[in-house]
């Protein structure tokens, strides 16, 4: 994460961490002399008034970057240094590091590779930089972002300050309401693995003229990957995982934004996901072909033919959302694949064989659903949340019933929970926990009130609360209400 990601939800989410939350660590106090800044003219503070190199290494920019890295946390790089160790390391070594940076002798460490499964299949390759390089990249990002923000397209929403996935989805909703009901889904094949370094640096150099800065960015692109103790060179790509990667992606794809804008297209781009909205299938086919040609010739990128295509809004998916019509208006809903991914995570949290107290398991369920609903609160219907609630309660009931194990124990537990003895016998047998979890006897004992006492907060209730707060916050008259 970085500054340009503030206020965005992926489940992350899209895809966020397992709980959908951001962990914040309060930075400890530090000696203000710990990070000496480079010399710069007195009174100069804005990005436009002083060189980008000086802006990067201003004391306030460095401390801001340090706090951001500490707040984001994350795993160690190849050197094993943790985020908690970074502040003390900088106190001891910053002068030497800054000298290397100024003389051009600083060499970034290779990233630590990590692969995670994509929700739709395939592998996403991440590169985890050392915490020192994350700190330096964050400082670079904070100085570079204002310079590029002024030239980026208003149709680009990913990893930009003041913009979010929700803004992108609402923009798409607006285009569909205007009658652009064919969606050209443009999926760039392995974008982060195939970015051409020379083409990318040429686009960075359009705005950044400082050769020291260009040289350092190039070093980060060429830093390589450490595999089994051996450094493997990277001739192309900008691995996801470092703070600078999202900005570089936006810089690379800004040419595509400009081209689509010049052609007068309605489109929404979020990182490497781009949807273009047209009025007919024929127009969609023409746009898809011309966009693919432009990407290949100008940016040396290819579209994925299996994932790209032309769809109606009800079948298209954007950032976990899709669309439906109600009384002639386009409404937003949670996409089916996003619902299934949510269920998959809840299945893991509520396995029948899972150990631990019910209250602890429910607490973890609540942590996940808080982040999940927080992202999908944009949906205009609560039916999906109600269905998910019913399914989740049944999952919890089968887990509790399975834990009772023997028929005699089940009978005693059911009676102790208020089920008449003659009815309790009906809930004590059976061999299928999932089937028994739906029977009237088990539902009578493990009713909604029982689960609420164990701490369960219903997904629908949480959704309605967030909807109410979100809509109220959008009303000027209600802003003082907390």
């Amino acid at each position: 994460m970085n500054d340009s990601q503030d206020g965005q939800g992926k489940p992350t989410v899209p895809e966020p961490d397992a709980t959908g939350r951001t962990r914040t660590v309060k930075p400890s106090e530090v000696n203000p002399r710990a990070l000496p800044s480079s010399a710069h003219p007195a009174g100069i503070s804005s990005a436009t008034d002083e060189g980008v190199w000086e802006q990067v290494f201003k004391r306030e920019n460095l401390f801001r970057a340090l706090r951001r890295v500490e707040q984001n946390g994350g795993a160690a790089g190849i050197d094993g240094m943790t985020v908690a160790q970074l502040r003390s390391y900088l106190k001891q070594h910053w002068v030497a590091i800054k000298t290397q940076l100024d003389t051009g002798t600083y060499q970034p460490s290779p990233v630590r590779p990590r692969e995670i499964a994509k929700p739709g299949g395939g592998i996403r390759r991440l590169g985890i930089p050392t915490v020192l390089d994350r700190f330096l990249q964050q400082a670079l990002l904070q100085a570079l972002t204002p310079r590029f923000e002024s030239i980026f397209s208003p149709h680009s929403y990913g990893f930009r300050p003041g913009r979010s996935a929700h803004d992108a989805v609402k923009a798409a909703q607006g285009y569909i309401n205007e009658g652009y009901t064919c969606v050209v889904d443009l999926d760039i094949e392995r974008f982060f693995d195939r970015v051409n370094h020379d083409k990318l640096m040429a686009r960075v150099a359009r705005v950044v003229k400082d050769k020291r800065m260009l040289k350092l960015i190039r070093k980060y692109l060429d830093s390589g990957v450490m595999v089994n103790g051996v450094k493997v060179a990277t001739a192309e790509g900008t691995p996801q995982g470092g703070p600078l990667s999202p900005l570089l992606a936006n810089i690379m794809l800004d040419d595509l934004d400009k081209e689509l804008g010049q052609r007068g297209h309605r489109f929404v781009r979020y990182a490497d996901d781009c949807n273009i909205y047209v009025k007919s299938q024929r127009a969609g086919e023409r746009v898809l072909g011309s966009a693919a040609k432009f990407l290949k010739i100008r940016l040396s990128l290819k579209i994925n033919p299996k994932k790209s295509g032309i769809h109606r809004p009800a079948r298209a998916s954007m950032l976990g959302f899709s669309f439906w019509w109600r009384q002639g208006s386009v409404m937003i809903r949670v996409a089916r694949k996003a619902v299934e991914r949510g269920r998959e995570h809840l299945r893991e949290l509520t396995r029948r064989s899972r150990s631990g107290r019910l209250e602890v398991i429910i607490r973890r369920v609540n942590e996940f659903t808080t982040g999940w609903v927080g992202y999908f609160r944009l949906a205009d219907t609560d039916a999906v949340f109600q269905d998910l609630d019913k399914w989740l309660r049944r999952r919890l009931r089968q887990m509790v019933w399975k834990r009772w194990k023997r028929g005699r124990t089940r009978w005693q537990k059911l009676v102790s929970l208020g089920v008449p003895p003659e009815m309790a016998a009906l809930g004590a047998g059976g061999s299928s926990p999932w089937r028994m979890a739906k029977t009237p006897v088990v539902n009578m004992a493990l009713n909604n009130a029982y689960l609420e006492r164990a701490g369960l907060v219903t997904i629908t209730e949480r959704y309605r609360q967030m909807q109410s707060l979100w809509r109220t916050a959008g009303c000027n008259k209600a802003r003082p209400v907390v």
Side-chain angles (χ1 to χ4, degrees):
M1 299 289 289
N2 52 56
D3 266 6
S4 63
Q5 293 171 291
D6 287 349
Q8 300 191 33
K10 257 313 236 43
T12 270
V13 176
E15 300 203 1
D17 63 10
T19 66
R21 301 177 303 163
T22 301
R23 183 170 62 89
T24 302
V25 179
K26 182 179 180 181
S28 57
E29 293 300 321
V30 65
N31 187 333
R33 298 180 181 178
L35 298 177
S37 62
S38 56
H40 56 272
I44 295 179
S45 59
S46 71
T48 57
D49 290 337
E50 85 181 309
V52 64
W53 188 262
E54 289 73 22
Q55 187 74 17
V56 169
F57 297 107
K58 288 180 67 175
R59 180 176 285 112
E60 52 265 40
N61 189 59
L62 293 173
F63 273 101
R64 182 179 164 206
L66 178 59
R67 289 192 295 269
R68 175 63 62 182
V69 171
E70 289 176 330
Q71 289 168 357
N72 289 341
I78 63 168
D79 61 356
M81 186 192 302
T82 66
V83 171
Q85 297 171 320
L86 176 60
R87 188 173 288 252
S88 60
Y89 179 85
L90 289 172
K91 288 180 181 179
Q92 298 177 32
H93 302 284
W94 176 248
V95 174
I97 294 169
K98 182 60 169 61
T99 300
Q100 292 176 14
L101 289 163
D102 285 335
T103 58
T105 58
Y106 179 80
Q107 185 61 48
S109 300
V111 298
R112 181 165 68 86
R114 183 180 178 185
E115 294 183 347
I116 60 174
K118 290 184 178 179
I123 297 295
R124 176 179 287 114
R125 293 179 174 85
L126 301 180
I128 303 175
T130 63
V131 292
L132 173 60
D133 283 324
R134 294 211 292 270
F135 162 69
L136 293 174
Q137 284 192 38
Q138 182 65 35
L140 291 173
L141 174 72
Q142 292 166 181
L144 290 173
T145 294
R147 287 169 162 78
F148 285 95
E149 273 299 304
S150 61
I151 66 169
F152 282 159
S153 166
H155 299 279
S156 168
Y157 292 87
F159 310 108
R160 294 182 60 188
R163 288 171 169 253
S164 69
H166 287 181
D167 295 327
V169 174
K170 286 186 283 187
Q173 181 188 29
Y175 295 143
I176 298 170
N177 267 321
E178 291 174 9
Y180 295 86
T181 54
C182 278
V183 184
V184 180
D185 188 353
L186 202 64
D187 185 277
I188 303 175
E189 189 173 65
R190 296 177 59 192
F191 169 74
F192 285 94
D193 298 330
R194 291 183 172 172
V195 170
N196 183 287
H197 289 178
D198 292 334
K199 290 183 180 291
L200 173 57
M201 289 306 303
R203 283 152 180 79
V204 175
R206 293 172 184 171
V207 176
V208 179
K209 306 303 180 183
D210 192 306
K211 292 184 179 179
R212 295 169 297 180
M213 179 68 73
L214 295 173
K215 184 178 179 180
L216 182 57
I217 294 173
R218 184 69 189 231
K219 283 184 176 182
Y220 275 117
L221 291 175
D222 297 337
S223 60
V225 178
M226 188 65 73
V227 179
N228 297 325
V230 178
K231 178 181 175 180
V232 178
T234 50
E236 60 181 8
T238 169
Q240 299 178 77
L244 204 55
S245 179
L247 175 63
L248 296 178
N250 279 332
I251 293 171
M252 187 67 177
L253 291 175
D254 189 57
D255 279 17
L256 174 64
D257 297 341
K258 297 294 194 297
E259 180 68 15
L260 294 175
Q262 288 174 1
R263 296 181 185 182
H265 289 309
R266 275 75 172 170
F267 70 97
V268 173
R269 184 177 65 79
Y270 192 98
D272 57 331
D273 293 327
C274 183
N275 282 0
I276 308 168
Y277 298 85
V278 296
K279 289 189 174 182
S280 68
Q281 179 76 17
R282 185 175 179 180
E285 292 170 355
R286 184 176 65 252
V287 169
L288 180 59
S290 62
K293 184 178 180 181
F294 176 85
L295 285 168
K296 182 177 181 180
I297 295 174
R298 288 285 295 275
L299 303 179
S300 300
L301 296 170
K302 296 192 301 181
I303 67 167
N304 187 332
K306 294 182 180 179
K307 295 184 178 180
S308 298
I310 304 153
H311 310 286
R312 290 295 176 181
R315 296 189 61 187
S317 176
M318 181 179 187
L319 302 173
F321 294 92
S322 61
F323 303 93
W324 61 292
W325 273 264
R326 182 173 67 190
Q327 298 178 350
S329 296
V330 176
M331 314 300 288
I332 300 170
R333 66 182 177 189
V334 185
R336 292 181 181 177
K337 289 184 179 179
V339 175
E340 187 52 41
R341 286 197 295 269
R343 288 194 182 212
E344 282 296 327
H345 194 87
L346 290 171
R347 281 191 186 97
E348 179 63 24
L349 292 175
T350 58
R351 293 193 319 269
R352 292 199 304 258
S353 59
R354 193 176 188 91
S355 60
R357 295 172 56 239
L358 178 63
E359 290 78 7
V360 174
I361 293 172
I362 286 179
R363 188 184 309 135
R364 291 175 180 169
V365 167
N366 287 339
E367 289 173 350
F368 171 76
T369 57
T370 298
W372 196 85
V373 175
Y375 180 76
F376 288 109
R377 70 181 186 276
L378 191 64
D380 291 310
T381 174
D382 61 3
V384 65
F385 301 101
Q386 293 177 11
D387 291 343
L388 201 55
D389 267 327
K390 294 176 184 177
W391 176 85
L392 176 59
R393 285 192 289 263
R394 188 174 176 184
R395 292 281 304 178
L396 292 169
R397 287 176 183 131
Q398 75 157 351
M399 183 176 66
V400 174
W401 187 89
K402 177 73 163 50
R403 286 182 170 190
W404 290 340
K405 295 184 178 179
R406 298 181 180 181
R408 179 68 180 176
T409 303
R410 291 168 183 162
W411 183 87
Q412 291 174 342
K413 290 288 188 180
L414 291 169
V415 170
S416 68
L417 291 169
V419 178
E422 60 277 10
M423 290 185 63
L426 300 175
S431 59
S432 170
W434 182 244
R435 185 181 68 81
M436 293 303 297
K438 197 177 181 181
T439 59
V441 174
V442 175
N443 273 263
M444 182 187 301
L446 305 177
N447 55 28
N448 294 359
Y450 173 89
L451 296 175
E452 288 175 7
R453 287 194 298 273
L456 182 66
V457 179
T458 68
I459 298 171
T460 305
E461 178 186 345
R462 198 182 297 279
Y463 163 73
R464 289 171 178 168
Q465 289 174 348
M466 289 188 176
Q467 277 265 306
S468 177
L469 291 171
W470 177 49
R471 296 186 188 281
T472 301
C475 175
N476 289 333
K477 293 182 179 179
R479 284 190 184 277
V481 178
V482 178

